[in-house]
């Protein structure tokens, strides 16, 4: 059993180091070292990673790497790739990386990934022959966020005459809006649910089934209009999906790590198998880098450690994901689940109370839209937050001048956060009153990631990079990043309240607020 993080020598050394350097500003760091950018940036394949605008020096990096070493990150990494059962509470291996390792097999019974890929390709081919015009993907959380991100990123390149739709919410307005205007004869539904028990997804599936049947189609037509992706195939067949149309997901692949699995069937249908394989290939290359690159060149490791530095020693409680590319508009939501559902925890692997903060709050929005949303706070609000800018060099469109406008905004924002603006600088430029209101504290940290071109391959690398950052953070925190007990209580209470609501039950056993709210609903529904 490992000692609590705060008691580790490397952690305590970092705490002292942070106190030593906390008075230094980013402006000073850059003024003192003209080579700062070279020291704190890395090029890797399609990417340039700039982490020079963190409040660090070379000693910081050395001490962060010492922390990783004291936490045996490399050993845990090797355990994950070897298929050891590191998912402590569910007694499972963690095998999303095996999904993109060509020819690998999981340590669990069932189909190999190559067999699953073959099934995906064959099913997609069969579906394409049936004249569907629309595919509706029913799933939520990790059974939707990744597939939706990838399909949307490359929607301009979809070539198979299919329109993709995603429904996740228990609020039936979402599915109603999607189904409105669709032709039931030409619509296929993918029910994506690892457990095939998520109430939202099953409720939407029932609405879809009724919609298909409403046109006095015989029960048999259900078989034509539904496929399923799940770790519980027996539940899918019991629901009415033919066995040949049920694709398996390994138990050892967590929902938020499952875009590489058969949950990506919609990607194969919408963008083609080559694109899906490119996504996998990119992720596999990042896996190789994570497993083999020396620590100081290991980008997932370095960025993970800098995440910890920001959260634990620079007190930035939130990480703001800012993709300056509409094709990545779903990336913040994806990373929110990946990071906060993995590491937003308060108990360590030994079951003790975590003595340090877990995951940062993760949120974000595409740029430049975010500049008109919460950038006032980012520049002058408190506490300061850490930003992650993601830009793409080659635009997904032909409007070069507008792309230059977009990227100049992204670069300017990171610069403004870092430099700020003193009262003297304000007044030197603008003698109007209330100059104090235009002072910017600056010294606000950020990473900037530049991608040469957004392709399924580079997106696969990026998503795998984030997975490994979450992994490293969880190991250093000594928590289990691969379960999600925190979602269970709400689910349980919701089931009870639903039963109460439908049975017109008494509210006396409920807290007064819930009871009163239920009563209000009943009076006005
Ligand atoms: O949010 C809780 C969660 O279990 C996620 O981890 C998962 O991605 C999502 O619900 C959907 O679960 P399933 O794929 O089993 O429907």
């Amino acid at each position: 059993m490992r000692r609590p993080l705060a008691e580790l020598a490397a952690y305590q050394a970092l705490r002292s180091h942070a106190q030593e350097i906390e008075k230094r500003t980013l402006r000073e760091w850059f003024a003192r070292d003209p080579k700062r950018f070279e020291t704190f940036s890395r090029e890797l394949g399609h990417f340039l990673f700039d982490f020079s605008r963190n409040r660090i020096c070379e000693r910081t990096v050395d001490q962060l790497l010492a922390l990783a070493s004291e936490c045996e990150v490399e050993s845990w990494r090797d355990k994950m790739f070897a298929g050891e059962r590191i998912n402590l509470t569910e007694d499972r291996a963690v095998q999303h990386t095996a999904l993109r390792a060509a020819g690998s097999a999981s340590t669990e019974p069932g189909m190999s990934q190559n067999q699953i890929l073959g099934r995906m390709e064959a099913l997609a081919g069969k579906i394409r022959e049936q004249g569907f015009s629309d595919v509706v993907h029913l799933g939520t959380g990790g059974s939707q966020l990744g597939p939706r991100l990838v399909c949307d990123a490359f929607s301009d390149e979809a070539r198979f005459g299919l329109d993709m739709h995603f429904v996740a919410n228990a609020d039936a307005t979402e599915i109603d809006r999607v189904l409105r205007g669709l032709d039931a004869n030409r619509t296929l539904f993918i029910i994506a649910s690892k457990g095939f028990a998520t109430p939202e997804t099953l409720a939407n599936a029932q609405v879809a089934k009724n919609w298909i049947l409403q046109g006095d189609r015989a029960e048999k037509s259900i078989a034509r209009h539904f496929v399923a992706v799940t770790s519980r195939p027996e539940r899918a067949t019991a629901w009415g999906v033919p066995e040949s149309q049920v694709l398996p997901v390994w138990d050892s692949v967590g929902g938020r790590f499952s875009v590489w699995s058969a949950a990506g069937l919609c990607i194969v249908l919408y963008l083609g198998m080559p694109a899906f394989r490119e996504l996998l290939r990119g992720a596999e290359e990042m896996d190789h880098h994570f497993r083999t690159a020396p620590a100081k060149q290991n980008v997932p490791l370095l960025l993970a450690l800098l995440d910890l530095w920001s959260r634990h020693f620079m007190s930035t409680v939130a990480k703001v994901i800012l993709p300056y590319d509409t094709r990545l508009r779903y990336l913040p939501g994806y990373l929110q689940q990946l990071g906060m559902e993995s590491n937003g925890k308060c108990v360590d692997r030994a079951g003790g109370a975590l003595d340090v903060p877990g995951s940062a709050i993760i949120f974000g929005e595409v740029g430049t839209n975010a500049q008109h949303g919460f950038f006032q706070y980012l520049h002058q609000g408190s506490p300061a937050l850490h930003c992650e800018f993601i830009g793409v060099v080659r635009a997904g469109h032909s409007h070069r001048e507008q792309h230059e406008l977009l990227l100049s905004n992204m670069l300017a924002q990171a610069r403004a956060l870092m430099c700020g603006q003193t009262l003297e600088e304000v007044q030197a430029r603008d003698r109007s009153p209330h100059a104090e209101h235009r002072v910017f504290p600056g010294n606000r940290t950020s990473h900037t990631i530049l991608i040469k071109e957004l392709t399924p391959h580079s997106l696969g690398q990026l998503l795998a990079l984030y997975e490994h950052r979450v992994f490293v953070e969880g190991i250093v925190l000594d928590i289990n990043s691969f379960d999600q007990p925190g979602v269970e209580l709400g689910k349980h209470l919701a089931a009870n309240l639903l039963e109460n609501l439908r049975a017109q039950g008494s509210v006396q056993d409920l807290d007064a607020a819930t009871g009163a709210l239920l009563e209000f609903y009943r009076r006005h529904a």
Side-chain angles (χ1 to χ4, degrees):
M1 185 171 79
R2 204 196 78 187
R3 280 184 298 128
L5 181 55
E7 294 175 18
L8 298 183
Y11 191 88
Q12 292 176 354
L14 280 161
R15 186 174 281 151
S16 309
H17 175 60
Q19 287 162 358
E20 286 164 22
I21 66 170
E22 68 175 348
K23 296 284 183 260
R24 298 270 184 77
T25 67
L26 286 167
R27 280 199 191 199
E28 288 168 29
W29 289 120
F30 274 92
R32 292 166 58 142
D33 177 4
K35 291 199 170 301
R36 183 176 177 83
F37 174 79
E38 285 75 16
T39 305
F40 298 120
S41 63
R42 299 288 185 275
E43 286 202 40
L44 178 66
H46 300 274
F47 296 87
L48 168 61
F49 296 97
D50 168 22
F51 48 93
S52 63
R53 291 188 179 120
N54 283 273
R55 293 166 57 197
I56 57 172
C57 59
E58 289 188 81
R59 188 150 154 253
T60 319
V61 174
D62 292 340
Q63 291 198 353
L64 285 168
L65 290 174
L67 177 64
S69 176
E70 191 170 359
C71 296
E72 300 180 338
V73 166
E74 287 189 10
S75 163
W76 280 98
R77 178 197 63 196
D78 296 343
K79 285 176 185 172
M80 173 175 70
F81 279 97
E84 291 190 29
R85 292 170 176 269
I86 63 169
N87 177 350
L88 170 77
T89 56
E90 297 174 329
D91 188 25
R92 286 175 183 162
V94 171
Q95 294 215 287
H96 50 282
T97 56
L99 293 172
R100 58 245 191 171
S104 77
S106 84
T107 56
E108 62 182 72
M111 275 186 223
S112 72
Q113 173 63 348
N114 279 343
Q115 289 170 317
I116 294 170
L117 289 170
R119 286 280 309 279
M120 291 170 75
E121 191 162 28
L123 185 53
K126 178 186 166 195
I127 289 167
R128 284 205 192 94
E129 291 164 359
Q130 303 198 23
F132 291 114
S133 57
D134 293 87
V135 176
V136 181
H137 180 100
L138 305 174
T140 193
S143 292
Q144 178 252 144
L145 290 166
R148 180 172 204 166
L149 163 60
V150 177
C151 285
D152 183 74
F154 304 109
S155 59
D156 305 322
E157 296 154 44
R159 292 284 178 276
F160 294 94
L162 286 172
D163 280 336
M164 268 310 299
H165 312 272
F166 291 87
V167 175
N169 202 327
D171 173 6
T173 295
E174 188 176 45
I175 193 167
D176 271 0
R177 287 182 174 177
V178 165
L179 297 183
R180 199 171 299 146
L182 295 192
D183 175 352
N185 282 312
R186 304 190 67 205
T187 300
L188 175 86
F189 292 93
I190 301 173
I191 305 175
S193 178
K194 261 198 77 181
F196 215 88
T198 301
E200 302 94 309
T201 302
L202 295 183
N204 284 318
Q206 190 58 48
V207 168
K209 182 186 270 190
N210 298 340
W211 183 73
I212 288 292
L213 291 175
Q214 69 185 6
D216 64 30
R217 287 173 196 75
E219 187 72 19
K220 69 178 182 336
S221 71
I222 289 300
R224 176 170 179 272
H225 292 275
F226 287 88
V227 301
V229 175
T230 183
S231 299
R232 302 301 299 270
E234 75 284 0
R235 290 179 180 172
T237 50
W239 188 89
V241 181
E243 190 171 353
S244 64
Q245 293 170 205
V246 179
L247 296 178
V249 177
W250 296 340
D251 258 337
S252 56
V253 172
R256 53 190 174 274
F257 298 91
S258 66
V259 66
W260 326 98
S261 75
L265 174 64
C266 57
I267 301 169
V268 174
L269 275 171
Y270 190 51
L271 301 175
M273 195 60 181
F276 190 64
R277 287 190 184 280
E278 276 301 286
L279 186 81
L280 294 175
R281 191 168 67 86
E284 185 179 23
E285 284 178 11
M286 185 56 73
D287 294 346
H288 179 72
H289 171 78
F290 180 46
R291 297 178 77 176
T292 60
K296 276 205 169 179
Q297 301 307 318
N298 196 309
V299 176
L301 176 64
L302 289 171
L303 295 185
L305 292 170
L306 289 170
D307 288 340
L308 286 153
W309 170 258
S310 292
R311 181 77 179 87
H312 290 241
F313 303 104
M314 294 290 117
S315 320
T316 51
V317 296
K319 179 163 67 174
V320 193
I321 305 297
L322 299 162
Y324 273 67
D325 193 305
T326 299
R327 294 171 292 173
L328 295 176
R329 63 183 170 168
Y330 291 115
L331 183 64
Y334 176 83
L335 296 181
Q336 201 166 51
Q337 187 204 20
L338 182 63
M340 296 178 79
E341 192 166 270
S342 294
N343 295 336
K345 292 171 180 167
C346 55
V347 173
D348 64 24
R349 292 182 72 87
L354 199 61
D355 60 342
V356 291
S359 159
I361 299 164
I362 297 170
F363 71 95
E365 175 59 87
V366 283
T368 56
N369 294 357
Q371 295 174 198
H372 307 279
F374 48 78
F375 268 62
Q376 163 61 48
Y377 177 95
L378 293 183
H379 287 289
Q380 295 183 320
S382 174
L385 306 182
H386 178 82
C387 291
E388 187 142 333
F389 293 94
I390 301 152
V392 181
V393 174
R394 292 178 206 131
H397 56 75
S398 57
H399 311 284
R400 183 179 180 84
E401 287 185 5
Q402 189 145 337
H403 192 55
E404 289 166 349
L405 169 67
L406 175 73
L407 286 193
S408 58
N409 267 273
M410 183 184 83
L411 298 178
Q413 293 297 338
R415 173 173 165 71
L417 287 167
M418 172 182 102
C419 298
Q421 185 171 250
T422 63
L423 183 59
E424 295 69 30
E425 288 165 341
V426 175
Q427 291 168 331
R429 215 181 53 200
D430 169 2
R431 300 301 298 179
S432 58
H434 312 302
E436 299 77 6
H437 294 258
R438 298 193 295 279
V439 171
F440 286 61
N443 206 33
R444 298 196 167 194
T445 62
S446 65
H447 295 334
T448 298
I449 299 173
L450 282 180
I451 311 170
K452 291 174 188 168
E453 186 174 12
L454 187 65
T455 62
H457 182 256
S458 60
L459 184 54
Q461 288 184 313
L462 185 67
L463 299 185
L465 169 77
Y466 280 110
E467 287 178 341
H468 297 323
R469 287 168 69 175
V470 164
F471 172 81
V472 170
E473 182 183 53
I475 295 304
V476 171
L477 291 170
D478 195 29
I479 60 178
N480 179 21
S481 298
F482 306 102
D483 61 2
Q484 47 285 326
V487 305
E488 295 311 320
L489 179 58
K491 281 182 181 177
H492 171 68
L493 295 181
N496 293 347
L497 284 175
L498 180 59
E499 190 181 328
N500 180 312
L501 197 56
R502 288 179 173 163
Q504 294 291 326
S506 156
V507 298
Q508 65 183 25
D509 297 336
L510 298 170
D511 65 274
T514 305
L517 293 167
L518 262 183
E519 291 294 3
F520 181 89
Y521 172 79
R522 282 173 173 157
R523 282 198 304 277
H524 300 284

